[in-house]
Amino acid sequence: MANQGVMTSLRDENHSTPDTEFASEATIGNFFSTDYKRNDDLKQMLDSNKDGLKLEAMKRIITMIAKGRDPSHLFPAVVKNVVSKNIEVKKLVYVYLVRYAEEQQDLALLSISTFQRALKDPNQLIRASALRVLSSIRVPVIAPIVMLAIKESAADMSPYVRKTAAHSIPKLYSLDPEQKDELVAVIEKLLMDKATLVIGSAVMAFEQVCPERTDLIHKNYRKLCNLIVDVEEWGQVLILNMLTRYARTQFVDPNTKQPVPEKEFYEEEEEDEATDEPTRPRSLDADHRLLLRNAKPLLQSRNSAVVMAVAQLYYHLAPKNEVGTVARPLLRLVRSQREIQSVVLTTIASMSVKRKDMFEPHFKSFFIHTVDPLPVKLMKLDILTNLAGESNISLLLREFQVYIASQDSKFVAATIQAIGRCASNIKEVTSTCLAGLVALLSNKDEAIVAESVVVIKNLLQSQSADQEAIITKMIKLIDHVIVPVARASILWLIGEYCDKVAKYGPDVLRQMAKSFTNEEDLVKLQIVNLAAKLFVTNPKQTTLLCQYVLNLAKYDISYDIRDRARLIRNILFPSENIKAIKNPKKIFLAPKPAPILESKYKDRDTFQLGSLSHFLNIRANGYRDLPDFPEVAPDSTVRNVEPPSRPTSVNAERVSVSYAQEEKSKRKPTFYSSSSEEEEVDGEESKSETSETVTESDSEMSELQSEPDQDLDKKSISIQEKTAGKTADSTEDSDSSESETSSESEEDEIRPKAAQGTTSPPSAQTTKSNLDLLLDFDGAVPDIPTPIITPTIGGFLTPIVPTVTTSSSLMSNSVDSIVMSSPAYVANNPKELISRTAGNGIQVGIRFTRSPHLYSSTMASIELHFTNTTAEDLGEIKVANKVLPVGMTICDFPVVSSLPHGQTRTALIGIDFGDSTQAAVFDISIGDRILKLSIKPPIGEIIRAVSMSETYFLSQQVKLRGMQESTAVATLPPSVVDGHAICRRVYEVANVSPIPSSDPLVFRFGGQTLSSKTLVLITLKTEAPKVTVIVNCEKIIIGQMLANQVKEALDKH
Amino acid sequence: MIESIFLINGLGDIVMEKHWASAIPRSICDYFFDVQKSASRPEDVPPVIPVPHNYLINLLRNNLFFVAVISSEVPPLFVIEFLQRVVHIIEEYFGECKESIIKEQHVVVYELLDEMLDNGYPLATESNILKELIKPPNLFRTITNTVTGKSNVSSILPSGQLSNVPWRRADVKYANNEAYFDVVEEVDAIIDKMGGTVMAEIHGYIDCCIRLSGNPDLTLSFINPRLCDDVSFHPCVRFKKWEAERVLSFVPPDGNFTLMSYHVASNNIVAIPIYVKHNIIFREGTGGKMDLTVGPRTTMGKTVENVVLEITMPKSVLNCTLTVTQGRASFDSVTRVLLWDIGKIDPTKLPGCKGSIALQSGATIPSSNPVINVRFCVNQLAASGLKVNRLDMYGERYKPFKGVKYITKAGQFQVRL
């Protein structure tokens, strides 16, 4: 059957085109657009078992969809191919399915199982695309399945799948709004996500499903602010808009005056300041400032929507003096394509009404080019008028003069109005403008004259001088002007100022009475008005005329005019049974306020700028009002985030803090002394410093609000960052951690855990969810408290942790587990690795930082110092060749750009020695020289400090008896007397940490090998002057070597 | 968000449609057609048209309207910018974005739209990623596909979207590694009757064509970076680095892209490379006379090329008879556009144009003066004075071939008469 189908279709093909079916495939577009009736064979082609035919059929079907034809009758034939192995066929089937599933619900269900299977695929992209299609099939029956899929995907390892999950949420919500509560829970989870890829989409889902749940934002606010630079551009727009609304509910208006200053310290100055700057804005909330600061760089985005989003954020949230920063980026956008231009100009027009100063210096940018489309011209004109002031008015008027000579009469009319507005707003030029407008009255163009008349009419009301002369001139025009508005305006003027032009009034009325029947309604009304006003002031001459006009009006077609005539007649010529109104003059010639000429963009800023509603000046569907600032700011502590236990944040913190440290190196001591917790609450200063730096680090892990309560290894990182700053690659390096985790985390995760599993009982980490694991960039790094030495500070803050205090604290929180701890000692000065002579003038120093390398925790991070003592400047330093023994890996340092003469450069290299003391040998190229480095780690450096409770120590020690125990006896020199000195000697040779000991004569230390995480336990039993060194370690060689090293260290005089 | 996209040509035919949520009936386009018909020029169609229940946001390129249907509040620029990205991607794929090409490539365009939007929200908009998802057609691939029966859709899924450099595709390899930078500056100016500058601005951008293997990290520095104080960047540029050191440091996308654009505002003094001396007189009855001379002004010794003068004459002008010393001049009596294509200006022999103007019989002297729109181009000159200092590459070993080109062009450059 199927074969037959192929045959027929083949025959068909051959019949129509002499070529094979593949040839026709290449030109498919042309071919079938001319002859689309031959679609009967499509079904057979789809049923065939040749991918080529299927593909061709699908392409034709998609073409039909794209053209708006309906191929839905082919649904059964198409849906079968959802299992096709050919990826292109499959893709096109997906496209078809999404489009027509709604119409053929029952059949669509057949495909669901395929997607469900694909959701479990090991390839993240297949999982994502399955979810995408599944959620796009709008069949209510499958809502629960989609819900389940979304929930699972939201906890997926891959950020890309999580992103897709976020996209699916609004789809399901529109399919089945009853799932809202569950969806909100998923959104909440996704908002917590730290991947920049995800959060843009998470905010999108939030905006679509539950924009009212501000409470979900609190905890994520700081993270969003800090990460926004790295989010993709579309996400940035949504986040900025959402944060604008959020900030309006959470912070107080920055432009209200400062309430009573709270700081007593400044009390004396208070008076002065108050008089100096009466409008001194209130100091901003730190979070408010954070948002403004982090949004600012986005003004440089190439995406106009992002720039606009920042601009509106500043307009609605920033203190007045800062809003100006958005002016120039907006001006840059004005230059873009027509569509963007009109949106941006609308926004600028709105801003310029209230914030003239922002654009005043740039007003020339709004000068009109003849090639501008009319709407753009009109908007520019409005903006120019808004910007008009005493300083630029003469230039503007000259420019307007040019516009009046334009050939486009609509534009000219708008220009005349603009002149009118300038005249009424700026008193200095009113008479000049009026004179100019009067001159226009003699223009040949009817429309221009009419417009001028109307504008002059408005102006005259607010201007007393010269009225008589101008009105006289206009009266003379009445015979020529045809445009109704203009005629009506002239008539109104005559009536209003009939005492000033008393001579002409009755005459004009006579003429008008003659032409009354031929006039427009607008004019007729004014004739009636004029008649009434003249009758009131000059009854002698006009009584008859007035009655005549009223009679004409009485029989007019328009009821409006008849009504008016009846009203006026009853006032002026009351019949007997109606009481006469005493003073009709007061009614007809009451003083009237002058009209205010203003921009039509005046009140638009009630809408959020840059929104659809603002552009159209209509409330669009789904528009949410921008709330007013609250009087009193709600509790800001809701945004505080608990100190996290997540590893990522620890690392992030390191990066950001070290950046900050670098920037304000002079303030180091205070910086250190303040605990991180304080830092968050207290200093606007330090807070924002840090946040600035986060943007620089460009990295996903720059997670600021997560404040670990330990100090950090600032030294090593700051050095690393210094080098990084020079080599530019750093950001990528640190960045990569995020993306790499997606693929590597599993692997990374399993390895250390497997290793731990053998030596230690289940640790806290095992309880983490998938999500956490993904973010973990290394299972082991996490919980390192790192009180650490910084050479810059010198010795007094130094390393040796008082054994007792630490131990007691450790006792309390970790009973049965191993906890990473910071090294108790770190060497300050590099040791010489290659001497000046050996290196031909290049000296290489080496220092073990004893901190885990960023790339992997199994690497020791080693600082290399290159000093150039040659006479010449050398080029860039990088790792060249490396031939490594099995089990050893090296993470190259970022390329150091140059090594000038006499200078020292440092680089941080990560080496995984694989728990051996074999030397890592590799080449470094410096400029065109090659240096061979051989790094042989001391045994104490391939160990990392861990701490544990004494009981745990003892229980582990019992397991490592016999072969695994190495002993050595050392004799202490007389200088070493107390325990501290002994400990110090141990720390110098091995990176171990103290373990509490109940016996004052016994010292215990704990460590772990870097690679395999094998436990290393050191016990010292002192019986002065002898010390017995016992090392328990599964790796016998390491144990023995370490015991000897420790012995030597203790023996040393 | 975006519910549907319709592609409509200048005649009011729907070339293509694509829906994301439920299909929106074509009849919604009728509202658009009404507006289209009432607009005197296609450019006068407003970018946002409210219709019952929906909003149509449109973008006009090459006489083709991209109309997005929106049902609820969304920043209009968001949609416009996205549509612009669609046009850009189609151009990247097929060279240009016009009706005939879209009709020919329905399937690819449809697939592209499908990848670019998910539920009306932008998904993949970087051309480097899209090109990995859906291979752009070229002659060679068409032939191989025909022979081998392979397809345009890549069988490997791209990893770019997941990488930390989302704008760059992975595993780029070239035999010749090249990086070219075009510094293009457009001068917008209004020159008044007397030759004075009413306003002048420079809009500059740096277009790059970068074909470098691997993952190069480039640093571009300028001799005088202070000139551009108002800039926008491609997302690849490290902003902090610019703030701190005024150098552009970036890992480039593969292929062509705009690295940066900048704006030198009217407050600065802008060198105008060309001047036009003009004398046009209309006289009652006999018509009028005109006399134009064009010459170079501040060009730093570079030649002004591709000079074209365009004047739209007032309605009452019937015809113009012109004699020129250089180039070609023509007058279209329907559109009343006088076009003088001059070409290169030789400073020793300035091109001139003389002629008489015939007015319609009985017509009065036009009250308004026309405007001269000038187009020109100066190679090897950046009007703002911006100069690239050097380009350094890190991260790769090979030596790339580097090139920088400067061009100054006329943007909206008009001379008032």
Side-chain angles (χ1 to χ4, degrees):
Chain A
M1 178 64 188
N3 275 336
Q4 212 176 348
V6 181
M7 294 305 286
T8 47
S9 69
L10 270 175
R11 228 179 294 130
D12 264 348
E13 285 299 328
N14 290 334
H15 195 63
S16 56
T17 46
D19 290 277
T20 65
E21 80 251 33
F22 296 115
S24 70
E25 183 194 327
T27 55
I28 179 168
N30 293 334
F31 180 66
F32 286 105
S33 58
T34 51
D35 190 6
Y36 54 81
K37 288 195 190 74
R38 301 166 11 88
N39 285 333
D40 310 335
D41 55 337
L42 280 175
K43 194 170 177 309
Q44 288 157 342
M45 289 167 78
L46 286 168
D47 288 343
S48 82
N49 48 17
K50 279 184 111 176
D51 277 351
L53 281 177
K54 283 183 183 172
L55 186 58
E56 190 188 336
M58 280 317 295
K59 280 189 171 175
R60 278 169 54 187
I61 290 170
I62 297 301
T63 312
M64 285 165 76
I65 299 176
K67 285 181 176 168
R69 291 192 198 97
D70 183 8
S72 60
H73 60 279
L74 292 166
F75 197 93
V78 174
V79 83
K80 271 192 295 195
N81 288 306
V82 76
V83 292
S84 168
K85 289 276 179 291
N86 181 313
I87 193 152
E88 190 165 12
V89 173
K90 201 168 180 164
K91 216 165 176 176
L92 294 176
V93 172
Y94 283 5
V95 170
Y96 179 92
L97 200 59
V98 169
R99 174 75 179 73
Y100 287 104
E102 208 171 5
E103 295 168 24
Q104 311 256 349
Q105 307 213 345
D106 291 344
L107 285 168
L109 294 179
L110 295 177
S111 62
I112 303 299
S113 63
T114 319
F115 299 117
Q116 279 177 309
R117 219 173 308 129
L119 281 170
K120 302 268 186 297
D121 198 280
N123 184 331
Q124 48 179 342
L125 289 153
I126 291 178
R127 289 201 300 276
S129 95
L131 179 63
R132 217 180 119 193
V133 180
L134 184 64
S135 58
S136 300
I137 296 176
R138 286 171 302 278
V139 178
V141 192
I142 63 162
I145 298 176
V146 180
M147 187 68 231
L148 208 67
I150 290 177
K151 272 189 187 162
E152 263 173 34
S153 305
D156 199 280
M157 303 278 283
S158 150
Y160 185 65
V161 177
R162 298 202 298 276
K163 183 189 177 75
T164 320
H167 279 257
S168 308
I169 292 172
K171 296 186 209 168
L172 180 57
Y173 180 60
S174 67
L175 187 68
D176 182 7
E178 294 197 349
Q179 307 264 20
K180 183 170 174 179
D181 291 343
E182 274 183 85
L183 287 174
V184 171
V186 181
I187 291 172
E188 187 173 4
K189 193 166 168 192
L190 287 169
L191 282 172
M192 304 281 221
D193 207 300
K194 291 194 171 60
T196 47
L197 199 62
V198 183
I199 53 177
S201 304
V203 169
M204 185 268 295
F206 170 81
E207 286 282 80
Q208 304 233 320
V209 178
C210 53
E212 71 285 350
R213 291 287 303 274
T214 339
D215 54 305
L216 298 183
I217 302 301
H218 291 320
K219 291 267 179 250
N220 298 300
Y221 173 81
R222 289 176 191 156
K223 180 191 73 182
L224 286 172
C225 288
N226 286 324
L227 291 185
I228 192 159
V229 259
D230 296 327
V231 178
E232 31 82 53
E233 43 198 348
W234 311 111
Q236 287 173 344
V237 178
L238 294 177
I239 295 176
L240 286 170
N241 279 319
M242 188 272 289
L243 287 181
T244 309
R245 271 191 304 114
Y246 175 83
R248 276 285 195 130
T249 62
Q250 300 298 320
F251 307 126
V252 287
D253 190 345
N255 293 318
T256 51
K257 279 183 207 165
Q258 180 134 11
V260 186
E262 288 128 42
K263 295 174 188 166
E264 304 81 30
F265 186 73
Y266 291 112
E267 219 143 49
E268 309 122 56
E269 301 161 15
E270 200 186 315
E271 285 293 325
D272 299 345
E273 279 181 26
T275 47
D276 278 357
E277 307 171 69
T279 55
R280 189 160 66 113
R282 154 193 340 224
S283 62
L284 291 185
D285 185 288
D287 284 329
H288 192 167
R289 172 56 61 202
L290 176 75
L291 174 61
L292 292 176
R293 210 179 269 261
N294 281 329
K296 200 172 165 191
L298 298 179
L299 286 171
Q300 258 67 36
S301 171
R302 64 167 169 173
N303 188 319
S304 61
V306 177
V307 179
M308 177 59 86
V310 181
Q312 63 86 21
L313 182 132
Y314 262 75
Y315 183 78
H316 291 300
L317 295 179
K320 275 217 163 70
N321 52 345
E322 290 175 37
V323 182
T325 42
V326 305
R328 298 202 58 183
L330 282 178
L331 281 174
R332 192 180 64 227
L333 297 187
V334 170
R335 180 65 206 308
S336 334
Q337 289 82 355
R338 175 186 69 95
E339 292 86 1
I340 296 178
Q341 200 178 20
S342 43
V343 179
V344 174
L345 284 174
T346 316
T347 308
I348 293 182
S350 274
M351 285 183 171
S352 62
V353 174
K354 281 199 185 147
R355 301 297 315 275
K356 194 169 144 185
D357 51 306
M358 274 171 68
F359 295 97
E360 212 173 355
H362 310 288
F363 77 102
K364 279 187 175 176
S365 304
F366 301 105
F367 281 2
I368 291 156
H369 292 260
T370 40
V371 286
D372 289 334
L374 183 64
V376 169
K377 282 181 181 166
L378 298 185
M379 272 189 276
K380 281 188 173 177
L381 211 52
D382 204 292
I383 295 171
L384 283 174
T385 321
N386 289 340
L387 298 180
E390 285 160 39
S391 54
N392 53 22
I393 186 68
S394 56
L395 208 58
L396 264 183
L397 286 181
R398 211 180 310 150
E399 190 67 17
F400 284 162
Q401 233 160 4
V402 178
Y403 300 160
I404 285 174
S406 156
Q407 300 175 32
D408 184 342
S409 57
K410 273 188 198 156
F411 174 49
V412 175
T415 310
I416 294 171
Q417 281 176 1
I419 296 175
R421 262 178 62 200
C422 289
S424 79
N425 293 341
I426 303 163
K427 296 287 167 243
E428 285 79 7
V429 292
T430 314
S431 50
T432 330
C433 290
L434 207 50
L437 289 170
V438 171
L440 282 176
L441 289 177
S442 48
N443 197 294
K444 266 174 279 172
D445 192 331
E446 179 67 24
I448 296 178
V449 177
E451 200 65 43
S452 318
V453 168
V454 177
V455 172
I456 291 173
K457 184 209 90 181
N458 288 336
L459 280 180
L460 279 181
Q461 274 184 272
S462 49
Q463 161 95 5
S464 51
D466 266 357
Q467 280 170 340
E468 195 180 333
I470 294 166
I471 298 172
T472 315
K473 186 159 186 186
M474 288 166 75
I475 290 172
K476 286 174 185 158
L477 283 171
I478 196 95
D479 291 338
H480 312 292
V481 177
I482 306 167
V483 180
V485 195
R487 285 176 80 86
S489 298
I490 297 176
L491 292 174
W492 183 86
L493 274 176
I494 300 170
E496 195 64 25
Y497 299 99
C498 52
D499 50 332
K500 289 194 174 144
V501 286
K503 267 199 288 184
Y504 304 99
D507 210 32
V508 174
L509 184 61
R510 186 180 53 79
Q511 280 187 2
M512 288 299 119
K514 261 203 290 190
S515 61
F516 185 88
T517 43
N518 300 326
E519 299 286 354
E520 292 272 328
D521 285 3
L522 194 63
V523 187
K524 283 179 182 168
L525 282 176
Q526 287 307 328
I527 297 174
V528 174
N529 275 353
L530 176 64
K533 284 175 185 167
L534 287 178
F535 174 77
V536 171
T537 52
N538 186 2
K540 220 195 281 175
Q541 279 183 302
T542 55
T543 313
L544 279 176
L545 260 176
C546 181
Q547 275 172 336
Y548 175 64
V549 169
L550 288 175
N551 277 332
L552 283 175
K554 189 177 175 182
Y555 299 108
D556 200 88
I557 315 166
S558 160
Y559 51 79
D560 217 10
I561 294 169
R562 293 199 301 271
D563 282 354
R564 178 78 62 94
R566 194 177 309 131
L567 172 75
I568 290 176
R569 186 189 293 277
N570 281 326
I571 296 172
L572 298 182
F573 309 105
S575 50
E576 290 90 38
N577 49 357
I578 296 173
K579 217 176 164 191
I581 286 170
K582 277 191 192 127
N583 203 347
K585 202 170 177 176
K586 271 194 181 156
I587 296 173
F588 289 113
L589 290 169
K592 300 172 183 66
I596 302 158
L597 302 175
E598 57 193 12
S599 167
K600 56 181 171 183
Y601 296 96
K602 183 157 177 284
D603 287 322
R604 278 212 193 172
D605 66 346
T606 49
F607 290 116
Q608 192 169 359
L609 294 192
S611 67
L612 188 63
S613 307
H614 174 260
F615 183 73
L616 295 170
N617 206 11
I618 307 170
R619 175 170 290 269
N621 298 339
Y623 175 77
R624 284 183 298 278
D625 272 316
L626 208 52
D628 283 328
F629 285 109
E631 287 290 317
V632 179
D635 185 15
S636 69
T637 53
V638 289
R639 285 183 293 276
N640 290 351
V641 179
E642 306 294 313
S645 54
R646 295 233 180 106
T648 349
S649 33
V650 174
N651 289 295
E653 179 65 13
R654 307 159 80 96
V655 174
S656 52
V657 166
S658 61
Y659 264 111
Q661 178 201 0
E662 214 179 10
E663 275 181 22
K664 38 175 203 169
S665 49
K666 292 204 176 115
R667 297 174 44 198
K668 258 172 206 156
T670 45
F671 187 78
Y672 281 119
S673 55
S674 68
S675 86
S676 5
E677 198 60 62
E678 269 168 22
E679 207 180 294
E680 170 159 24
V681 195
D682 96 2
E684 208 264 59
E685 261 288 87
S686 72
K687 173 87 191 173
S688 40
E689 284 276 21
T690 348
S691 59
E692 281 265 286
T693 57
V694 170
T695 62
E696 175 174 323
S697 81
D698 205 75
S699 103
E700 140 74 8
M701 27 172 245
S702 339
E703 190 41 56
L704 179 74
Q705 73 275 49
S706 40
E707 304 278 2
D709 40 359
Q710 325 98 352
D711 267 342
L712 295 158
D713 186 348
K714 283 155 189 143
K715 155 76 182 173
S716 66
I717 304 292
S718 78
I719 285 168
Q720 191 203 6
E721 290 302 329
K722 261 183 230 156
T723 47
K726 279 162 203 145
T727 52
D729 229 337
S730 74
T731 48
E732 259 63 35
D733 265 358
S734 49
D735 224 8
S736 60
S737 54
E738 186 262 316
S739 51
E740 272 160 19
T741 33
S742 55
S743 51
E744 285 178 15
S745 56
E746 287 171 89
E747 190 193 336
D748 266 357
E749 201 48 44
I750 291 160
R751 223 186 323 137
K753 228 186 281 164
Q756 273 172 12
T758 59
T759 52
S760 63
S763 68
Q765 287 161 22
T766 46
T767 55
K768 282 180 182 167
S769 72
N770 264 354
L771 184 67
D772 299 343
L773 293 178
L774 183 76
L775 291 165
D776 239 347
F777 74 58
D778 192 316
V781 192
D783 302 308
I784 308 172
T786 29
I788 252 307
I789 174 175
T790 40
T792 34
I793 311 180
F796 64 93
L797 273 179
T798 13
I800 298 180
V801 183
T803 320
V804 190
T805 50
T806 326
S807 43
S808 62
S809 69
L810 279 169
M811 284 290 268
S812 58
N813 58 22
S814 53
V815 183
D816 264 357
S817 62
I818 301 178
V819 181
M820 301 296 152
S821 70
S822 60
Y825 167 87
V826 175
N828 284 351
N829 299 319
K831 284 187 190 129
E832 192 173 74
L833 184 65
I834 294 182
S835 68
R836 196 151 64 101
T837 41
N840 266 339
I842 301 167
Q843 193 178 351
V844 183
I846 182 169
R847 188 173 78 86
F848 287 89
T849 62
R850 290 199 176 171
S851 58
H853 191 261
L854 274 180
Y855 181 75
S856 156
S857 65
T858 61
M859 291 188 171
S861 70
I862 299 167
E863 207 171 78
L864 297 173
H865 296 248
F866 300 95
T867 310
N868 183 357
T869 56
T870 61
E872 56 196 306
D873 290 353
L874 296 171
E876 51 181 37
I877 310 174
K878 60 183 176 209
V879 177
N881 265 333
K882 44 188 182 193
V883 183
L884 299 169
V886 186
M888 200 180 281
T889 43
I890 289 189
C891 174
D892 300 359
F893 51 84
V895 177
V896 177
S897 56
S898 67
L899 181 56
H901 146 76
Q903 301 261 347
T904 301
R905 292 279 182 270
T906 53
L908 199 70
I909 193 168
I911 304 181
D912 180 355
F913 289 100
D915 287 351
S916 80
T917 50
Q918 263 184 304
V921 182
F922 54 95
D923 292 347
I924 297 266
S925 76
I926 301 177
D928 35 13
R929 299 163 184 236
I930 299 281
L931 273 187
K932 194 171 233 21
L933 294 193
S934 162
I935 301 181
K936 185 175 164 59
I939 187 76
E941 299 295 347
I942 58 170
I943 294 172
R944 162 195 313 149
V946 294
S947 48
M948 61 200 94
S949 66
E950 186 177 10
T951 41
Y952 185 70
F953 183 94
L954 293 173
S955 70
Q956 290 300 312
Q957 197 179 22
V958 174
K959 294 181 194 162
L960 298 169
R961 282 282 152 84
M963 286 277 284
Q964 292 154 342
E965 188 172 277
S966 324
T967 340
V969 179
T971 318
L972 288 175
S975 57
V976 180
V977 279
D978 63 338
H980 277 301
I982 296 176
C983 293
R984 182 165 188 143
R985 290 193 166 207
V986 175
Y987 297 144
E988 275 171 20
V989 291
N991 183 8
V992 286
S993 93
I995 308 291
S997 163
S998 43
D999 184 346
L1001 289 178
V1002 177
F1003 298 96
R1004 300 198 170 96
F1005 306 91
Q1008 217 177 33
T1009 60
L1010 281 173
S1011 268
S1012 61
K1013 314 261 184 295
T1014 315
L1015 217 50
V1016 180
L1017 308 172
I1018 304 177
T1019 316
L1020 300 186
K1021 289 186 179 153
T1022 52
E1023 307 153 45
K1026 294 264 187 246
V1027 179
T1028 317
V1029 182
I1030 306 163
V1031 179
N1032 300 74
C1033 179
E1034 209 175 320
K1035 303 207 166 181
I1036 305 163
I1037 304 174
I1038 291 183
Q1040 266 172 2
M1041 287 169 77
L1042 195 61
N1044 287 334
Q1045 291 249 326
V1046 173
K1047 172 189 175 301
E1048 279 166 31
L1050 293 175
D1051 278 342
K1052 209 164 47 179
H1053 279 275
Chain B
M1 286 294 141
I2 300 172
E3 311 255 312
S4 301
I5 289 182
F6 291 95
L7 266 60
I8 297 173
N9 68 11
L11 302 170
D13 300 327
I14 299 174
V15 179
M16 185 167 178
E17 61 180 70
K18 170 97 179 84
H19 306 278
W20 279 269
S22 300
I24 288 177
R26 285 180 154 219
S27 56
I28 199 165
C29 294
D30 293 346
Y31 296 105
F32 180 79
F33 297 142
D34 291 344
V35 178
Q36 197 184 7
K37 274 182 204 126
S38 61
S40 51
R41 294 183 302 166
E43 294 86 57
D44 286 346
V45 174
V48 182
I49 303 168
V51 303
H53 310 301
N54 284 305
Y55 306 90
L56 306 177
I57 299 187
N58 67 80
L59 183 87
L60 173 69
R61 291 289 180 277
N62 300 325
N63 211 21
L64 200 60
F65 283 99
F66 290 74
V67 183
V69 184
I70 307 296
S71 63
S72 62
E73 172 68 49
V74 59
L77 278 182
F78 187 92
V79 181
I80 293 172
E81 189 75 33
F82 174 78
L83 292 176
Q84 198 161 293
R85 206 55 68 80
V86 172
V87 173
H88 183 74
I89 293 289
I90 295 178
E91 277 169 358
E92 285 248 319
Y93 264 74
F94 311 115
E96 49 187 331
C97 174
K98 55 178 190 185
E99 192 186 338
S100 60
I101 284 180
I102 289 171
K103 277 188 167 163
E104 214 170 282
Q105 301 285 355
H106 258 126
V107 177
V108 181
V109 176
Y110 199 87
E111 281 178 314
L112 280 175
L113 284 176
D114 198 55
E115 287 297 337
M116 289 180 79
L117 274 185
D118 179 15
N119 193 33
Y121 182 83
L123 188 66
T125 51
E126 284 295 338
S127 73
N128 266 241
I129 289 173
L130 284 169
K131 279 185 179 168
E132 283 189 55
L133 287 167
I134 303 160
K135 292 269 186 285
N138 61 27
L139 187 64
F140 173 73
R141 198 171 295 118
T142 317
I143 294 169
T144 37
N145 287 353
T146 315
V147 177
T148 59
K150 276 193 187 148
S151 69
N152 267 340
V153 171
S154 75
S155 50
I156 338 148
L157 293 148
S159 51
Q161 218 153 355
L162 307 166
S163 85
N164 46 356
V165 198
W167 52 83
R168 188 174 177 86
R169 66 188 175 93
D171 303 327
V172 186
K173 279 200 184 77
Y174 287 106
N176 296 320
N177 290 296
E178 320 164 297
Y180 296 107
F181 297 85
D182 289 1
V183 180
V184 185
E185 297 199 337
E186 293 184 0
V187 181
D188 286 4
I190 301 177
I191 310 290
D192 67 10
K193 247 183 218 170
M194 316 305 294
T197 310
V198 178
M199 65 83 79
E201 293 181 342
I202 294 175
H203 286 271
Y205 47 89
I206 301 182
D207 274 345
C208 310
C209 174
I210 291 188
R211 299 165 179 283
L212 297 175
S213 317
N215 253 329
D217 192 330
L218 303 178
T219 303
L220 186 73
S221 59
F222 299 103
I223 290 179
N224 38 12
R226 299 270 153 219
L227 278 173
C228 22
D229 46 353
D230 182 30
V231 286
S232 72
F233 299 120
H234 190 274
C236 68
V237 176
R238 296 185 182 101
F239 180 69
K240 276 283 155 184
K241 200 91 169 164
W242 169 260
E243 284 283 270
E245 299 169 41
R246 295 272 154 179
V247 295
L248 296 178
S249 157
F250 56 100
V251 177
D254 184 43
N256 298 322
F257 66 99
T258 303
L259 177 66
M260 143 190 192
S261 63
Y262 55 95
H263 178 202
V264 181
S266 54
N267 303 0
N268 304 26
I269 296 155
V270 173
I272 307 289
I274 196 169
Y275 71 86
V276 180
K277 270 194 210 157
H278 50 82
N279 188 15
I280 297 186
I281 311 163
F282 295 109
R283 252 183 261 127
E284 194 97 43
T286 52
K289 269 189 186 167
M290 60 180 296
D291 187 354
L292 299 172
T293 318
V294 184
R297 207 152 117 180
T298 23
T299 62
M300 319 286 176
K302 305 285 192 303
T303 335
V304 186
E305 293 171 71
N306 302 343
V307 183
V308 177
L309 264 57
E310 197 185 290
I311 309 175
T312 308
M313 288 292 183
K315 285 195 185 86
S316 51
V317 172
L318 191 66
N319 202 357
C320 296
T321 30
L322 305 161
T323 44
V324 293
T325 59
Q326 187 187 336
R328 254 179 311 118
S330 63
F331 181 79
D332 183 336
S333 51
V334 180
T335 55
R336 296 186 318 281
V337 173
L338 189 161
L339 199 76
W340 180 22
D341 187 341
I342 301 171
K344 217 180 260 182
I345 296 183
D346 175 7
T348 56
K349 200 170 122 278
L350 295 180
C353 170
K354 281 184 186 172
S356 61
I357 303 166
L359 293 179
Q360 278 166 0
S361 58
T364 47
I365 301 169
S367 59
S368 52
N369 275 329
V371 166
I372 310 177
N373 285 313
V374 186
R375 276 174 289 176
F376 59 82
C377 157
V378 187
N379 282 320
Q380 295 312 318
L381 172 79
S384 66
L386 188 75
K387 267 217 156 66
V388 171
N389 182 20
R390 54 180 293 154
L391 176 74
D392 297 307
M393 187 178 75
Y394 304 104
E396 295 292 333
R397 281 149 189 273
Y398 54 82
K399 280 262 177 268
F401 186 81
K402 304 176 255 193
V404 182
K405 201 163 86 180
Y406 300 91
I407 304 172
T408 295
K409 289 201 280 195
Q412 297 181 343
F413 193 102
Q414 67 176 50
V415 181
R416 289 177 178 160
L417 296 177

